[in-house]
Amino acid sequence: KRKLPSTCWGQELSGGSKLCDFVEPTSPAFRQHFCARCKKWGILVAATRIRVVVGATVPANRHAGGVWNESSNASSWPAHRIINQTVGSPGPKMVVLRDETAAEIPGLASLPSAPGS
């Protein structure tokens, strides 16, 4: 059964700042949800929407319903996507928040500011 074209996840993750083509994923794989432009050139996400996971518990991304994990009984985090969480990923586990917020979020820390900023 063929899925209907959907919004590129690059457009979603960038906060809607990109003009992307619709995509027709051929599998549920993460990489299948990006348009050719995003696959070639990447995406830009505001640092104010990135948080570093603090602590040992990292919920998994849900595999249904789109790019965002919505708040639930299992997680009090606002809508987000967990990134850098696979076994071979170097560095800390992080999340991209759907919406910017200055609020403190339990289990998440803001990115440190660059020296001199």
Side-chain angles (χ1 to χ4, degrees), residues 34-52:
F34 292 86
C35 69
R37 186 178 305 131
C38 287
K39 287 178 182 177
K40 182 174 182 177
W41 299 104
I43 62 171
L44 183 64
V45 178
T48 54
R49 292 179 44 232
I50 305 290
R51 297 290 189 276
V52 178

Side-chain angles (χ1 to χ4, degrees), residues 1-2 5 8-9 15 32 37-38 43-44 46 49 53 55 66 68-70 83-84 95 98 102-103 114 116:
K1 185 176 176 181
R2 190 170 163 164
C8 171
W9 284 11
Q32 293 293 317
R37 186 178 305 131
C38 287
I43 62 171
L44 183 64
R49 292 179 44 232
V53 176
W68 302 113
N69 299 300
E70 298 292 338
I83 58 172
N84 213 42
V95 300
R98 181 178 60 201

Side-chain angles (χ1 to χ4, degrees), residues 90-113:
K93 293 167 179 43
M94 298 183 280
V95 300
V96 176
L97 300 174
R98 181 178 60 201
D99 303 306
E100 286 189 53
T101 182
E104 296 271 333
I105 303 170
L108 298 177
S110 297
L111 289 176
S113 298

Side-chain angles (χ1 to χ4, degrees), residues 58-63 69 80 82:
V58 180
N61 286 315
R62 296 187 187 101
H63 295 287
N69 299 300
H80 66 281
I82 301 166

